[in-house]
């Protein structure tokens, strides 16, 4: 129930926005996100990270039965906060997803993922999630 | 007697190797793709010293029968190597190792395939008195020749301020090392592509080969490429199993007897033993460190100019670049001390060809005519 | 000896370490527990070797994972190079990855390449949970036992047991149970323990051992509590330690953690030994959970994942006056020696214990 006061005082677009909000759809103005939006969007992120967690613990990325957690339990020692950085194993400055592909290709003996693949995104989401709260340290070895 | 032709040739070499803009060798201005040239404080490089070193390098009188110079195996016109699997010295005697190139050897932290010498200066001492190389009884013969040669005594006085009677092997090796330090070469098609920003300097196949070199081929971890330059060596020692079959199960007995020999003071003759005993030679870095972990380990060579320095490996056992790629593709030669970085690669034929195409881009302009003729 | 570490200096160093390398405050303080002076013992000094955690994995048929085979073969070869020879070799557990007969047989075959040395076997969870140690008992060794050597009393424990319910009632098949136990970060995992039956056996076994006899306990998991989520843990550690309390010199050697770690609790020195297969991260590198890594520990060098042998190795143990000095042979890295410092009353790394002597690869984060 939209209050009369709001109707009298608010300019027309805001009234429209409020009506739209009351109906449970997104506001027209970009900065009018709500706590519910935040919760929804966080949940969308988490759903991607959960897929990443499953991939991280599955043998499907490689061909030799190994999975990422076999060396990185709980994604430990992945250091997502340090990318981009000079990666000794590749011989140049790269992003996290390049190193994920290196690991897929080398210890897991699998095919590297295309750089725009959903799976890479899921893995990155999970790896970053497990490292939440740690300060950015780009370039750190 | 001054040798004008040699001097001019030397200067031309200096110019070509130092890069188009430099008028003289400057260790801080290396060719494209190389880091600054390491020069020890006690042996700065000057033109005169390098020229003297070059003459010494080419002088056949420093051998038992007057036929062998450094340049006999390290042939300057042949990328400083000899095309042989195993080097041949005085009286055609075979040693146990393939001749490494001098080009860019300054970037090694140790010299020889097992790193038994820690500088270009000290390395220069050994072949002179090795019975299967120059075959001299002692270094005295070298100093005798020098002191009796007016051209040399004048140059030694100019370069080191030393009287003929005071010339020592320290001066001799310093001059040779100074010459070797000027033999650096970069500016290869790879360097122009990677560090010069020239997108078209190498073929698409070679570009794919570079990616394989970094990723599936697993090459770059030992044959190092850095963000701003590439020496293609990690200056470390690795066991690929090359030559392991020559010792196999005898390895325990060999290690035991080598340890015994060292304990009984058999230190002085290591250089001779390694180049004459084919089995001890395969112990590799162990003969220097005495650490059993080092059995069968040999130094990572630079890959610069690899297309013109065939054959390959410490025993010259791989003839062509494709042979080398096949060797790595199958995971090297299995043995209990195989390096942890070596494993089967499962490369496709296309990937192997791309890798070879990439390796061919590492040849500096100075040697590109050799590449055309060699086509390895 | 310049590398003898005085207690004072160590404490000072610890504070500095906390500042310079940001070691989390959750790391366990040493408990010095000097108590009464140790009595003299008749024990001789001797050396034995220690190889552990090979995780041999069957791919199919007679084909096994080459990486893991390579680690164990390398350790066996280097052990054969050892001069002078050790008295015997301990195998610290997790010979196989999934406890299959093929994997255990394969491991026995590789270990049979050891020249002229007896092997003392310790079981790991990867060897146990497929058939609850049946094949191991029939073909490798007893699950727990003791023996004496040159005046030192050795006890081998099966420290990787867990709650009966998890072991017998939780999983639909033996292989499923094994795979669940095989996953280190398993939220469905269950903590290790020695258990009451075995503790009772231990109590009786130690009843006839004199206080001054040096004791070496061999177990797979650490007999103290470091990090429960990854089972760097023994649930009844305190009870086991209590049984060991009355003895002057106790040394515990364990595997499982695939990293260098050492600690002192009262009279007991704990030493983790390396794996031949692969390194584990230090629990400190998981940011979302506290851990109790002993503050004493100078971490092993960080591993380059390109090289399968980096972060792996094997070791030898000198028993000197009833205390252990550990020599870690670290493939691709400078070897490490960790010796018991009698003045300080705890183990120290003979080269790197002082934070000022540490090198960058020992800094994990």
């Amino acid at each position: 129930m939209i209050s009369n006061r709001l109707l009298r005082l608010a300019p027309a677009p805001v009234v429209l926005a409020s009506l739209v909000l009351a109906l449970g759809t997104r506001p027209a103005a970009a900065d009018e996100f709500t706590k519910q939006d935040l919760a929804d969007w966080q949940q969308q992120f988490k759903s991607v990270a959960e897929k990443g967690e499953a991939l991280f613990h599955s043998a499907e990325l490689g061909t030799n039965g190994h999975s990422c957690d076999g060396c990185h339990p709980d994604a430990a020692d992945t250091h997502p906060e340090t990318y981009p950085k000079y990666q000794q194993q590749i011989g140049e400055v790269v992003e996290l997803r390049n190193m994920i592909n290196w690991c897929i290709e080398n210890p897991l003996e699998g095919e590297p993922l295309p750089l725009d693949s959903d799976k890479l995104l899921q893995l990155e989401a999970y790896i970053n999630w497990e490292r939440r709260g740690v300060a950015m340290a780009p370039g750190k070895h | 007697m001054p040798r004008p032709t040699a001097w001019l040739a030397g200067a031309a070499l200096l110019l070509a190797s130092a890069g188009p803009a430099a008028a003289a060798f400057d260790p801080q201005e290396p060719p494209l793709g190389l880091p600054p040239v390491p020069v020890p404080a006690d042996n700065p490089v000057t033109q005169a010293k390098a020229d003297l070193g070059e003459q010494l390098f080419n002088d056949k009188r420093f051998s038992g029968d007057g036929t062998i110079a450094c340049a006999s195996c390290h042939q300057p016109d042949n990328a400083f190597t000899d095309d042989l699997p195993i080097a041949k010295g005085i009286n055609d005697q075979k040693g146990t190792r393939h001749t490494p190139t001098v080009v860019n050897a300054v970037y090694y932290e140790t010299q020889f395939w097992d790193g038994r010498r820690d500088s270009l200066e000290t390395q220069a001492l050994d072949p002179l008195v090795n019975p299967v190389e120059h075959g001299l009884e002692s270094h005295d013969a070298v100093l005798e020749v020098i002191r009796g040669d007016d051209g040399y005594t004048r140059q030694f006085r100019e370069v080191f301020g030393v009287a003929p009677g005071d010339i020592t092997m320290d001066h001799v090796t310093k001059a040779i090392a100074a010459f070797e330090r000027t033999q650096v070469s970069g500016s290869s098609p790879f360097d122009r592509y990677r560090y010069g920003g020239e997108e078209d300097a190498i073929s698409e196949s070679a570009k794919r080969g570079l990616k394989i070199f970094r990723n599936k081929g697993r090459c770059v971890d030992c044959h190092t490429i850095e963000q701003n330059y590439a020496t293609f060596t990690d200056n470390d020692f690795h066991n690929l199993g090359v030559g392991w079959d020559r010792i196999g199960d005898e390895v325990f007995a060999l290690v035991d007897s080598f340890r015994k020999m060292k304990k009984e003071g058999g230190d002085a003759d290591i250089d001779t033993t390694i180049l004459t005993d084919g089995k001890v030679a395969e112990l590799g870095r162990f003969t220097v460190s005495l650490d059993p972990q080092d059995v069968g380990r040999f130094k990572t060579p630079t890959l610069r100019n690899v297309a013109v320095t065939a054959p390959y490996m410490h025993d010259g056992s791989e003839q062509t670049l494709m042979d080398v790629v096949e060797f790595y593709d199958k995971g090297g030669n299995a043995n209990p001390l195989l390096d942890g970085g070596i494993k089967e690669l499962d490369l496709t034929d296309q990937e192997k060809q791309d890798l070879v195409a990439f390796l061919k881009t590492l040849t500096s302009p100075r040697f590109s005519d050799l590449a055309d003729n060699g086509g390895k | 000896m310049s590398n003898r570490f005085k207690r004072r200096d160590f404490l000072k160093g610890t504070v500095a370490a906390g500042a310079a390398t940001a070691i989390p405050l959750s790391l366990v303080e040493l408990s010095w527990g000097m108590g009464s002076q140790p009595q003299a013992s008749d024990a001789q000094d001797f050396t034995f070797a220690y190889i552990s955690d090979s995780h041999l994995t069957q791919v199919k048929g007679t084909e096994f994972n080459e990486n893991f085979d390579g680690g164990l073969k390398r350790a066996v070869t280097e052990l054969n190079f050892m001069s002078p020879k050790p008295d015997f070799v301990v195998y610290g557990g997790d010979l196989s990855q999934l406890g299959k007969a093929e994997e255990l047989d394969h491991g026995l075959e590789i270990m049979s390449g050891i020249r002229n040395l007896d092997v003392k076997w310790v079981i790991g969870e990867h060897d146990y949970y497929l058939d609850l140690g049946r094949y191991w008992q029939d073909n490798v060794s007893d699950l727990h036992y003791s023996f004496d050597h040159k005046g030192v009393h050795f006890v081998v424990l099966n420290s990787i047991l867990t709650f009966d319910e998890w072991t017998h009632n939780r999983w639909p098949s033996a292989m499923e149970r094994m795979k669940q136990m095989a996953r280190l970060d398993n939220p469905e995992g269950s903590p290790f323990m020695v258990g009451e039956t075995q503790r009772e056996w231990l109590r009786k076994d130690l009843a006839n051992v004199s206080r001054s006899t040096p004791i070496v306990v061999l177990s797979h998991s650490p007999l103290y509590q470091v990090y429960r989520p990854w089972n760097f843990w023994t649930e009844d550690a305190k009870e086991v330690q209590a049984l060991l309390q009355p003895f002057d010199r106790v040394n515990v050697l364990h595997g499982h953690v695939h990293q260098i770690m050492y600690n002192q609790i009262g009279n007991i020195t704990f030493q983790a030994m390396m794996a031949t297969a692969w390194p584990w991260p230090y629990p400190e590198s998981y940011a979302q959970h506290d851990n109790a890594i002993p503050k004493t520990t100078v971490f092993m060098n960080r591993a380059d994942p390109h090289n399968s042998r980096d972060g792996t190795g094997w070791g030898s143990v000198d028993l000197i006056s009833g205390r252990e000095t550990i020599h870690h042979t670290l493939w691709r890295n400078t070897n490490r020696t960790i010796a018991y410092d009698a003045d300080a009353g705890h183990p120290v790394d003979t080269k790197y214990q002082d934070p000022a002597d540490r090198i960058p690869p020992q800094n994990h984060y």
Side-chain angles (χ1 to χ4, degrees):
Chain A
M1 173 77 184
I2 299 161
S3 78
N4 293 332
R5 194 159 168 236
L6 186 59
L7 275 168
R8 247 186 294 128
L9 293 174
V14 175
V15 171
L16 190 59
S18 311
L19 272 170
V20 169
L21 197 62
L23 292 170
T25 54
R26 301 277 164 256
D31 60 350
E32 291 274 344
F33 55 88
T34 66
K35 282 189 183 151
Q36 186 57 46
D37 286 326
L38 292 177
D40 288 345
W41 295 334
Q42 185 73 1
Q43 184 46 45
Q44 288 183 38
F45 162 76
K46 276 204 148 166
S47 72
V48 172
E50 270 158 24
K51 291 202 175 98
E53 181 177 17
L55 267 179
F56 197 88
H57 289 88
S58 86
E60 74 165 82
L61 291 171
T63 58
N64 57 12
H66 290 303
S67 50
C68 312
D69 65 296
C71 286
H72 299 282
D74 294 319
D77 256 6
T78 51
H79 306 123
E81 78 279 8
T82 61
Y83 288 89
K85 70 175 168 191
Y86 176 79
Q87 190 77 52
Q88 179 197 339
Q89 291 75 27
I90 303 175
E92 58 183 353
V93 175
V94 299
E95 298 181 297
L96 172 62
R97 50 183 49 202
N98 300 112
M99 191 55 188
I100 293 172
N101 265 344
W102 185 93
C103 278
I104 290 174
E105 202 163 29
N106 285 279
L108 302 190
E109 295 178 284
E111 281 301 310
L113 297 164
L115 290 178
D116 60 353
S117 101
D118 281 343
K119 288 186 178 172
L120 267 182
L121 176 65
Q122 290 157 12
L123 288 166
E124 279 188 342
Y126 169 65
I127 289 167
N128 278 283
W129 171 249
E130 290 283 34
R131 199 64 172 161
R132 60 196 181 279
V134 177
M136 295 282 287
K140 182 175 179 181
H141 177 69
Chain B
M1 283 283 275
R3 299 181 194 186
T5 343
W7 186 91
L8 280 169
L13 282 170
L14 283 170
L15 280 170
S17 55
F25 176 77
D26 181 356
Q28 293 305 313
E29 298 288 331
L32 179 68
L34 289 173
V37 180
V39 180
D42 67 353
N43 193 16
V45 179
T46 64
Q47 187 127 332
K49 195 189 286 181
D51 289 340
L52 171 57
E54 187 179 10
Q55 287 171 51
L56 294 163
F57 192 90
N58 284 286
D59 199 323
K60 293 191 172 139
R61 294 175 291 172
F62 302 136
S63 58
D65 63 358
T67 64
I68 307 288
C70 311
S72 303
C73 295
H74 300 286
Q75 300 160 10
D77 293 334
N78 199 5
F80 285 84
T81 184
D82 56 9
D83 296 334
L84 297 172
I86 301 288
K88 276 196 200 154
I90 192 170
N91 295 323
D92 252 9
Q93 292 175 90
K94 269 172 81 168
T96 57
R97 301 259 167 90
H98 167 61
T99 305
T101 180
V102 171
V103 180
N104 295 320
V106 63
Y107 293 111
Y108 290 134
E109 288 163 17
T110 59
Q111 301 298 330
F112 293 120
W113 281 101
D114 49 24
R116 62 187 183 275
R117 286 298 198 180
D118 62 4
S119 67
L120 292 171
E121 284 84 346
T122 51
Q123 181 279 329
L125 289 169
D126 294 344
L128 293 165
V129 294
N130 192 301
V132 305
E133 294 183 298
H134 294 239
L136 287 172
E137 288 289 321
S138 80
H139 294 112
D140 291 341
V142 174
L143 296 174
E144 243 182 77
V145 168
I146 288 171
R147 287 175 190 150
D149 182 309
D150 290 340
Y152 274 141
T153 53
R154 183 186 52 72
Q155 287 178 83
F156 272 92
R157 191 187 301 276
E158 261 173 43
V159 172
F160 294 105
V162 67
D166 296 331
I167 297 171
T168 64
M169 285 309 293
D170 186 59
H171 302 117
V172 174
T173 57
K174 280 196 156 93
I176 294 174
F179 163 64
E180 291 171 340
R181 288 198 172 92
T182 63
Q183 301 309 300
V184 289
S185 63
S187 303
S188 65
F190 158 75
D191 293 310
R192 286 169 22 230
Y193 167 71
R194 180 72 186 84
Y195 302 115
E198 288 180 43
E199 275 304 308
D200 300 323
I202 65 178
S203 66
E204 289 308 307
S205 171
K207 288 178 190 174
R208 291 193 298 268
L210 173 56
K211 262 194 101 179
I212 295 163
F213 192 88
R214 289 186 192 288
N215 294 282
K216 192 173 176 188
R218 304 167 55 78
C219 318
V220 82
D221 206 80
C222 300
H223 292 287
T224 334
I225 300 177
E226 316 236 22
Q227 189 66 22
N228 297 312
Y229 53 75
T231 59
F232 290 96
T233 175
D234 59 357
N235 270 302
D236 206 345
F237 302 87
H238 302 279
N239 173 324
L240 315 178
V242 173
W244 184 270
D245 294 343
R246 286 195 278 282
I247 46 176
D249 281 339
E250 279 184 67
V251 70
F252 297 110
L254 282 167
V255 164
D256 278 342
S257 69
F258 191 87
R259 275 173 171 158
K260 209 157 154 256
M261 184 206 74
K262 277 290 268 192
K263 222 171 168 185
E264 287 158 9
D267 212 357
D269 262 335
I270 285 288
D271 190 75
T272 302
T273 309
I274 285 167
L275 291 190
T276 52
D277 187 328
K279 293 191 175 175
V280 169
E282 292 315 314
L283 296 176
R285 183 66 177 163
F286 167 79
T287 59
V288 179
S289 71
L290 292 184
D291 183 347
Q293 290 186 57
D294 282 338
V295 170
R297 283 193 179 151
F298 294 88
K299 192 175 72 186
T300 311
T302 179
L303 295 183
R304 289 186 168 280
N305 301 303
V306 70
V308 299
T309 52
Y312 307 107
M313 302 299 177
H314 70 270
D315 59 359
S317 53
E318 302 298 331
Q319 298 304 310
T320 67
L321 290 175
M322 185 54 83
D323 287 339
V324 172
V325 168
E326 298 279 8
F327 176 80
Y328 280 103
D329 186 55
K330 76 174 166 84
N333 188 21
N335 72 87
L337 298 177
L338 186 68
D339 191 272
I342 303 300
K343 53 194 281 195
E344 277 179 46
L345 301 176
D346 269 337
L347 297 171
T348 64
D349 285 339
Q350 182 65 58
E351 286 169 335
K352 291 177 194 173
Q353 283 162 33
D354 289 339
L355 205 41
V356 171
F358 166 68
L359 292 171
K360 288 183 176 172
T361 68
L362 304 181
T363 308
S364 298
R366 178 178 165 189
F367 304 114
S368 52
D369 58 333
L370 285 175
D372 292 338
N373 293 338
K376 293 159 191 143
Chain C
M1 205 166 43
S2 63
N3 57 8
R4 289 289 278 236
F5 218 87
K6 299 296 173 218
R7 180 179 171 173
R8 233 188 195 359
D9 293 338
F10 177 81
L11 285 173
K12 240 193 334 195
T14 309
V15 170
T21 63
I23 296 173
L25 293 173
S26 59
L27 292 184
V28 162
E29 294 284 354
L30 292 180
S31 77
W32 305 93
M34 297 295 266
S36 49
Q37 281 303 319
Q39 294 173 355
S41 85
D42 296 327
Q44 296 170 48
D45 293 347
F46 59 91
T47 299
F48 61 96
Y50 192 110
I51 299 177
S52 191
D53 288 279
S54 303
H55 293 266
L56 304 178
T57 308
Q58 182 187 38
V59 174
K60 70 171 183 291
T62 53
E63 193 193 329
F64 292 85
N65 180 297
E66 272 180 42
N67 176 357
F68 304 153
D69 276 11
L72 182 57
K73 285 177 182 169
R74 191 183 182 101
V76 165
T77 302
E78 289 182 2
L79 173 56
N80 286 338
F81 283 133
M82 205 173 155
S83 176
K85 299 255 171 263
D87 284 11
F88 55 88
V89 51
V90 171
Y91 192 85
D94 284 355
L95 179 65
S96 63
Q97 172 65 6
L98 293 178
K100 296 186 205 168
E102 294 92 330
E103 291 170 346
L104 290 167
D105 285 343
H106 187 58
L108 288 169
E109 196 194 322
I110 298 175
M111 288 288 286
S112 72
I114 295 175
R115 298 178 161 201
N116 304 321
L117 282 180
D118 280 346
V119 184
K120 306 290 184 189
W121 298 91
V122 182
I123 194 168
E125 75 279 14
H126 284 260
D127 306 311
Y128 183 80
Y129 278 95
L130 184 61
D131 64 357
L132 302 184
R134 181 76 265 147
Y135 197 80
W136 187 274
Q137 285 179 83
D138 291 344
N139 295 282
V140 184
S141 94
D142 289 337
L143 298 178
H144 62 264
Y145 56 98
S146 67
F147 62 95
D148 294 296
H149 183 81
K150 295 187 176 170
V152 175
H153 186 69
F154 283 78
V155 173
V156 177
L157 292 177
N158 176 1
S159 66
I160 49 81
L161 297 170
T162 194
F163 297 115
D164 282 338
E165 191 273 329
W166 194 97
T167 306
H168 299 289
N169 302 336
R170 183 80 62 90
W171 307 106
S173 73
M175 182 52 85
E176 182 58 26
R177 173 181 61 207
M178 179 66 253
K179 287 182 171 170
Q180 291 288 336
M181 189 50 96
R183 180 181 155 179
L184 197 81
D185 62 354
N186 193 350
E188 305 292 325
S190 188
F192 292 145
M193 59 190 64
V194 169
E196 203 184 315
T197 313
Q198 217 180 153
R199 292 200 313 269
E200 182 54 24
W201 169 86
L202 178 61
R203 192 189 60 72
K204 290 203 188 97
D205 181 83
L206 294 175
N208 296 322
V209 180
S210 77
R211 184 195 140 185
S212 63
T213 304
I215 304 212
V216 176
V217 181
L218 302 170
S219 63
H220 183 68
S221 58
L223 293 180
Y224 62 111
Q225 296 177 340
V226 183
Y227 191 64
R228 202 169 195 260
W230 295 349
N231 245 334
F232 289 9
W233 189 269
T234 300
E235 191 82 346
D236 53 353
K238 292 258 168 8
E239 288 90 322
V240 176
Q241 288 166 23
L243 291 171
L244 299 166
Q245 199 55 51
F247 299 89
D248 287 340
R249 284 163 286 248
V250 182
N251 307 277
V252 173
L253 290 171
H254 66 90
H256 182 65
V257 298
H258 299 206
Q259 61 199 212
I260 290 179
M261 191 176 282
Y262 46 99
N263 196 12
Q264 184 81 25
I265 300 177
N267 59 325
I268 311 172
T269 307
F270 298 84
Q271 294 279 1
M273 303 301 286
M274 296 293 286
T276 63
W278 73 80
W280 281 130
Y282 284 88
E284 169 183 277
S285 75
Y286 184 58
Q288 313 307 329
H289 199 289
D290 280 345
N291 67 79
I293 301 172
K295 239 182 195 169
T296 34
T297 296
V298 176
F299 290 1
M300 67 182 179
N301 291 5
R302 286 169 51 192
D304 170 4
H306 177 274
N307 194 307
S308 320
R309 299 280 70 79
D310 200 350
T312 64
W314 61 288
S316 67
V317 182
D318 299 333
L319 250 292
I320 300 173
S321 304
R323 305 275 188 192
E324 50 196 15
T325 293
I326 309 294
H327 300 280
H328 290 291
T329 294
L330 300 177
W331 296 321
R332 301 314 307 166
N333 289 292
T334 310
N335 296 340
R336 294 268 302 267
T337 301
I338 302 163
Y340 183 81
D341 185 319
D343 294 339
H346 60 82
V348 300
D349 188 290
T350 57
K351 189 168 173 190
Y352 300 108
Q353 197 64 45
D354 186 339
D357 296 330
R358 307 263 168 99
I359 56 174
Q362 290 161 357
N363 178 24
H364 296 229
Y365 57 93

